[in-house]
């Protein structure tokens, strides 16, 4: 299944014309369809101010050539109607706008072998670029656990938590998807060149911005809504109070995805934004991969097994026996009458308990009275 | 106002006879009253197994002499009916049992000038004995903030979080109350001798166990219910999975007190117990003194003021202006047509935005085009 070619070409042109996620544009595409919108714009109709010199720019574009060039760079343009189109993105139609960004993307430029319709079982792991060693460690652990459980890990390819998340997934041999703010052909940040090369070979690099586009700030905000929409849930590992990761979490909440946060030291500014959201109830608290799987997986698939309590010999004693044991002096011997006084219990029940404790190996009795064994002292 | 002397003496004897919080005893006192119960026990009636050799022990006790001795050690015995009796303890009558401990205490042995009816506005801060430096720091900070806001800080005098909590309160010059598992005349742990001496001089050391009693394990569990019952809320700062602090939190929940937990690194075993309770919803998350005050204080008295966002010059720009600003190259100059293409906006609105940005000091224009100012680069 694949979208009609005329529609794809119209979407290519519109993708090049506007900013990623600009609501005027995504709204008009939703209302009129890409072909009709392009034709109207070419005719310079006045559509909510978009007409300015748009017609000229639109006429100068050659979408077929764009697609051709993209293909030669290893990029494809996935649009609604394609079998590969991740239909979860359609939820964006009803999710409102943030920072004048919103709506279903006109199309996605994709580099890499991973097919986007494989994102049904996926998890976003995002957080601060200025992550601490603690945050890096936890993000990697959670991403690795998710990847091992078969969830596709999605992040934004940035410094800090994003990088740790991608690495955690890669460490398990799984593909990972990076949704970026610049063109999918570009590398930003440059220091992540090797990582992007790996992701492009094994997973996918995805962008709403056409090839060649630079990573402008506003594009990160538009990008965040895609990370939230493409996944079943978003885990924020570290986020300071105004972190962009909270913008992703906000989108995830609007889209009725699971929103999770990992706590950290309350003395760490890098966790402040997460703690605020946990306090307000906007996020649920997770501490490890197993917690996350319990939240995002279909009911019952990944129930957390509570860490088993270590049952000690002492735990097998009755409460009365423990009470008597606690009344036996630590260093010397004592008679059962003295132990009964200390325990505040009657002599008969204390004698019974001491007998049971001797059998269990916690006390020994001789002519001087009762004393603790090595086992009781342990 | 003070309880009748006959009742006080009967309570002294019963306090010496049974273990702190033993439910058979607290239940019978609630049912029969202390005087009648003592008389029945002296007559060796068979009351749910308590009769064993209790009559003999009871006859051998001299409650008046006990009170006299206690007074010479600076201890008083506070019982229901005394003006000083903290009536919040009466909530324990309906709060069930844990580890066969529960019920309203028969009386409280108290050392120190602080009157227990002053505990109406109070906060328990408890946690692991094996606290980390992080836990100590946070417990101290929260206790100091609570004390400064006029809440009486209650803890258990143990190593770790308890000690940090008492110290935090003391650092503000406020009294603090330590509820202990041994007799209020004893010092446990011995290393806290100076701290207990200070608390005994300025606050109060409280115990359900009569003078001289040793700190047996089971007594800590009985003690925990008092810490929970005496306070408006309990904050757990660090607690491993089987920590006694969770027992205190459990009691606080049963008593409809506020139960709060401070998160920590998810990699720290010392915070595991807290994270579990936060996840289950049994505790609410707090990160600092202000959060705690917001939870425990009467409505509106200590509303948290959200840390104010720093508003930068950039924040005052319109979104459109910011979008245009982001499209001005970082190092060279560019014409407005090139900026419009990068921004994906019409030339007319880009020119308008550039004019506004120049007025705001973010760009300068000359014959080469527009470039960023120092302000825009900051």
């Amino acid at each position: 299944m694949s979208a009609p070619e005329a529609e794809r070409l119209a979407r290519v042109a519109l993708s090049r014309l506007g900013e990623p996620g600009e609501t005027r544009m995504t709204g008009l595409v939703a209302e009129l369809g890409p072909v009709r919108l392009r034709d109207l714009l070419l005719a310079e109709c006045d559509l909510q101010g978009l007409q300015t010199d748009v017609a000229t720019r639109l006429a100068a574009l050659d979408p077929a050539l764009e697609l051709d060039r993209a293909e030669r760079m290893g990029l494809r343009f996935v649009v609604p109607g394609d079998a590969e189109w991740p239909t979860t993105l359609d939820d964006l139609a009803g999710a409102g706008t943030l920072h004048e960004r919103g709506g279903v993307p006109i199309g996605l430029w994709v580099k890499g072998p991973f097919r986007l319709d494989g994102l049904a079982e996926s998890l976003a792991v995002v957080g601060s670029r200025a992550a601490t060693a603690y945050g890096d460690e936890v993000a990697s652990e959670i991403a690795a656990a998710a990847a091992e459980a078969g969830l596709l890990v999605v992040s934004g390819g940035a410094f800090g938590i994003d990088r740790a998340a991608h690495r955690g997934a890669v460490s398990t041999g799984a593909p990972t998807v990076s949704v970026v703010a610049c063109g999918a052909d570009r590398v930003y940040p440059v220091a992540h060149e090797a990582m992007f090369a790996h992701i492009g070979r094994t997973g996918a690099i995805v962008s709403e911005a056409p090839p060649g586009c630079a990573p402008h700030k506003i594009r990160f905000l538009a990008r965040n809504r895609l990370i939230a929409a493409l996944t079943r849930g978003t885990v924020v590992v570290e986020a300071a109070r105004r972190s962009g990761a909270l913008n992703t979490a906000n989108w995830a909440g609007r889209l009725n995805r699971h929103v999770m946060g990992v706590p950290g030291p309350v003395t760490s500014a890098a966790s402040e934004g997460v703690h605020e959201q946990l306090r307000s109830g906007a996020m649920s608290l997770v501490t490890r991969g197993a917690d996350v799987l319990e939240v995002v997986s279909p009911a019952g698939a990944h129930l957390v097994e509570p860490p088993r309590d270590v049952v000690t010999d002492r735990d097998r004693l009755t409460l009365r026996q423990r009470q008597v044991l606690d009344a036996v002096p630590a260093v010397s011997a004592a008679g059962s009458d003295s132990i009964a006084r200390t325990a505040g219990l009657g002599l008969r029940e204390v004698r019974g308990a001491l007998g049971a404790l001797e059998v269990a190996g916690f006390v020994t009795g001789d002519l001087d009275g009762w004393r603790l064994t090595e086992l009781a002292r342990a």
Side-chain angles (χ1 to χ4, degrees), chain A:
Chain A
M1 189 179 72
S2 151
E5 199 56 18
E7 201 168 296
R8 187 185 316 277
L9 292 174
R11 287 183 182 273
V12 169
L14 294 170
S15 163
R16 182 61 79 188
L17 194 69
E19 271 294 288
E22 218 179 353
T23 42
R24 287 189 303 178
M25 184 65 94
T26 56
L28 286 169
V29 171
E31 195 185 327
L32 305 170
V35 176
R36 175 120 191 275
L37 175 61
R38 191 228 13 228
D39 292 348
L40 285 168
L41 289 173
L42 274 173
E44 268 207 297
C45 286
D46 186 353
L47 289 163
Q48 297 174 40
L50 262 178
Q51 92 299 351
T52 42
D53 33 10
V54 151
T56 329
R57 288 174 53 217
L58 204 46
L61 288 170
D62 183 343
L65 184 64
E66 290 257 359
L67 274 185
D68 205 48
R69 272 200 202 125
E71 199 175 324
R72 268 180 278 133
M73 291 189 288
L75 270 68
R76 61 191 183 275
F77 188 55
V78 179
V79 301
D82 286 342
E84 187 184 348
W85 180 254
T87 50
T88 50
L89 287 181
D90 300 336
D91 295 348
L92 282 165
T97 69
L98 276 173
H99 302 281
E100 295 187 23
R101 291 295 177 270
V104 181
I106 294 168
L108 294 177
W109 300 88
V110 184
K111 180 177 188 174
F114 184 81
R115 277 175 57 107
L116 302 189
D117 51 344
L119 280 167
E121 297 293 324
S122 57
L123 176 76
V125 179
V126 299
S128 180
R129 275 170 299 156
T132 68
Y134 162 72
D136 281 346
E137 181 188 339
V138 177
S140 261
E141 187 271 331
I142 286 176
E148 270 171 3
L151 292 177
L152 203 291
V153 173
V154 177
S155 194
F159 285 125
I161 299 300
D162 284 13
R163 175 159 167 274
H166 287 306
R167 283 163 71 111
V170 166
S171 74
T172 70
T176 178
V177 169
S178 193
V179 186
V180 298
C182 56
D185 60 319
R186 293 186 60 154
V187 167
Y188 180 85
V190 176
H192 287 181
E193 185 161 12
M195 182 178 85
F196 281 117
H198 182 83
I199 295 175
R201 272 196 310 274
T202 57
I205 301 167
V206 176
S207 181
E208 189 176 6
C213 281
H216 294 308
K217 271 191 191 172
I218 189 75
R219 292 180 182 154
F220 285 94
L221 296 171
R223 183 277 310 263
N224 293 340
R225 85 188 199 291
L226 302 187
I227 292 182
L230 284 169
T231 49
R232 295 179 63 88
T234 293
V235 179
V236 182
V237 178
E238 284 189 317
R241 290 200 55 257
R242 296 185 81 179
S243 169
L246 299 179
N247 175 254
T248 310
N250 191 338
W251 274 111
R254 283 162 171 255
L255 290 158
N256 294 315
R257 308 293 197 257
H258 300 288
V259 193
M260 293 156 278
V262 176
V266 297
T267 46
S268 164
S271 290
E272 268 183 31
V274 177
H275 290 152
E276 263 181 27
Q277 302 292 309
L278 287 171
R279 261 171 65 69
S280 75
M283 289 180 179
S284 57
L285 189 149
V286 291
T287 65
R288 55 202 170 115
D291 292 351
V292 172
L293 295 176
E294 190 187 37
V295 173
V296 302
S297 296
H302 288 289
L303 277 185
V304 168
E305 195 157 327
R308 194 130 345 138
D309 283 340
V310 179
V311 178
T312 64
D313 286 334
R314 194 180 277 269
D315 290 327
R316 291 198 193 89
L317 300 179
T318 68
L319 200 90
R320 189 67 70 224
Q321 287 164 359
R322 245 179 288 168
Q323 204 172 333
V324 171
L325 183 61
D326 286 340
V328 178
V331 285
S332 53
S336 46
D337 53 340
S338 139
I339 292 169
R341 260 197 311 281
T342 305
L345 294 170
L347 193 55
R348 269 179 283 166
E349 56 185 337
V350 166
R351 281 196 181 129
L354 284 167
L357 287 168
E358 187 167 34
V359 171
F362 284 99
V363 298
T364 55
D366 57 25
L367 288 178
D368 297 331
W370 298 91
R371 62 180 78 234
L372 297 179
T373 61
E374 283 307 311
L375 175 62
R377 270 177 251 258

